[in-house]
Amino acid sequence: MTVLGIESTAHTCSIGIVDEGAKVLALAGDMYKPPKGGIHPREAANHHVEMLPVLLERALAEAHVSPKEIDGIAFAQGPGLGPCLRAGATVARALSLAWDRPLLPVNHCVSHIEIARVLSGLDDPMLLYASGGNTQVIAYGRGRYRVLGETIDVGIGNFLDKLWIALGGTFPGGPQLEAEARKGSSLYPLPYSVHGMDVAFSGLLTASLALANQGVARADLAFSVETTAYAMLTEITERALAHRQMKHVVLGGGVACNERLRSMVRAMVEERGGTMFAPPRNLCVDNGAMIAWTGELARRSGLAVPISASAVDPRQRTDKVRAPWRDQGAGALPGVN
Ligand code: AMP
Ligand code: MG
């Protein structure tokens, strides 16, 4: 079995091809970079429309497969930016029709946990999903993935990008802030907004900009921002582990590329006797291979849809979709349906 997956929820458009053992046969992607400021959904979608045919040829060549050897077409149905999602879904529908193959809608957040789960070999890990637009702590319970905690304002990556751009930098801010933070050492106090298993970043943004205006060195500011924001994420992940009596954590999303975040979460998890796993960077960020792999799981569970039922869902919640491929017993959450 070989499944092709299309990712196009935000900046990245990507096509991946995987086999039934989750071996990545091909992965071709391209990122829309706004000339300045944040992402414009229509412009990003135009970029994806132009790039997807190129990426398709590249992926098929890299995988050494012909269309005849593809057994399913998966695409990210949501959550994401409407115009970007529609660009990917349109290509997926066209391929499904042209090649007469099942069409497999996939939830983007679920695909981050499924690729990390299969790569790590951990049967029932908690996912800390830290990306541009999403920040969630997710675990499986009774047929679905449940959001145990999340940001109540912006995603962690959007916060880092906004801060960096306000300081005069360019998108994406996260990696540049990471490089800056490595040179810093003084920890300035910043708002630490943890509310149960949820977090918020807007107060942190305002306070960080105020520190910058007071002339705090950029490296120390970056160090303080990373320390505070990643401690918040580590704390809510630990609380979710404790409540669910779980041990293992996998990471996903662009911000999960961050070494500081990885080491803080790893220290917490190992102290609790568990294992922390972060996929290689090309499978941590948005990518078509995770969509393809989750599409394969969906195919096995009979979740293919006709074109008439393949509308994108920009606000699709992680717990809106079923995950019947998960053992009903594993990670079941008593009392939750
Ligand atoms: P995604 O939304 O998953 O495509 O990831 C994009 C986000 O990840 C952007 O907000 C980036 O700034 C952020 N990002 C990428 N690499 C890093 C890093 N090393 N440290 C922190 N943030 C990062
Ligand atoms: Mg993502």
Side-chain angles (χ1 to χ4, degrees):
M1 286 296 162
T2 306
V3 173
L4 181 146
I6 302 178
E7 157 61 33
S8 71
T9 55
H11 297 89
T12 302
C13 63
S14 165
I15 296 188
I17 301 176
V18 304
D19 71 9
E20 69 283 347
K23 185 168 175 224
V24 179
L25 305 179
L27 183 55
D30 198 71
M31 195 192 201
Y32 167 72
K33 291 214 174 88
K36 73 182 188 46
I39 185 170
H40 188 292
R42 191 64 256 167
E43 278 162 25
N46 288 344
H47 163 269
H48 299 350
V49 167
E50 275 180 29
M51 284 309 297
L52 283 169
V54 180
L55 299 175
L56 177 63
E57 284 198 11
R58 212 182 285 164
L60 289 172
E62 189 183 319
H64 299 292
V65 294
S66 73
K68 279 196 206 74
E69 293 164 285
I70 303 281
D71 300 293
I73 311 291
F75 69 99
Q77 188 174 33
L81 303 169
C84 298
L85 287 169
R86 279 189 285 276
T90 304
V91 173
R93 290 183 199 114
L95 293 180
S96 164
L97 277 178
W99 299 347
D100 192 22
R101 290 294 184 271
L103 184 60
L104 302 156
V106 163
N107 176 278
H108 175 90
C109 310
V110 168
S111 74
H112 274 291
I113 191 167
E114 288 304 349
I115 194 75
R117 208 161 67 85
V118 70
L119 292 175
S120 65
L122 295 167
D123 180 46
D124 188 30
M126 182 87 61
L127 170 72
L128 171 59
Y129 175 30
S131 74
N134 296 292
T135 304
Q136 295 185 331
V137 177
I138 297 171
Y140 176 78
R142 289 216 186 164
R144 284 164 203 262
Y145 283 103
R146 313 283 172 172
V147 180
L148 303 178
E150 64 188 316
T151 176
I152 52 176
D153 50 30
V154 293
I156 171 87
N158 285 356
F159 153 67
L160 298 171
D161 295 337
K162 263 189 202 163
L163 174 62
W164 188 248
I165 289 167
L167 294 175
T170 53
F171 175 88
Q176 301 176 72
L177 205 79
E178 175 173 33
E180 200 64 46
R182 283 211 188 94
K183 297 182 249 159
S185 55
S186 298
L187 182 62
Y188 287 84
L190 284 167
Y192 185 90
S193 301
V194 167
H195 309 271
M197 284 191 277
D198 295 332
V199 286
F201 296 109
S202 38
L204 190 48
L205 178 62
T206 310
S208 305
L209 290 172
L211 279 187
N213 285 336
Q214 287 161 26
V216 167
R218 186 174 282 209
D220 288 336
L221 179 61
F223 175 73
S224 305
V225 166
E226 281 206 340
T227 305
T228 308
Y230 299 154
M232 285 160 52
L233 296 184
T234 306
E235 179 179 336
I236 62 166
T237 309
E238 179 165 27
R239 185 161 300 118
L241 286 174
H243 278 293
R244 287 292 307 273
Q245 297 179 320
M246 291 168 73
K247 272 188 169 173
H248 309 302
V249 172
V250 293
L251 299 184
V255 184
C257 293
N258 187 282
E259 286 301 335
R260 189 85 197 288
L261 177 63
R262 288 180 180 209
S263 71
M264 285 167 81
V265 175
R266 186 181 297 111
M268 177 276 287
V269 172
E270 287 179 355
E271 219 169 84
R272 302 179 64 86
T275 302
M276 198 270 321
F277 174 83
R281 279 174 177 69
N282 63 340
L283 296 175
C284 215
V285 299
D286 291 348
N287 67 87
M290 68 181 185
I291 303 295
W293 170 239
T294 311
E296 165 60 5
L297 297 173
R299 192 193 60 77
R300 290 179 201 169
S301 296
L303 295 181
V305 297
I307 288 194
S308 57
S310 68
V312 301
D313 184 355
R315 293 182 182 279
Q316 187 176 67
R317 292 278 298 173
T318 304
D319 52 10
K320 193 176 168 190
V321 298
R322 294 188 303 127
W325 54 85
R326 288 290 309 259
D327 170 12
Q328 288 294 319
L333 188 58
V336 175
N337 290 304

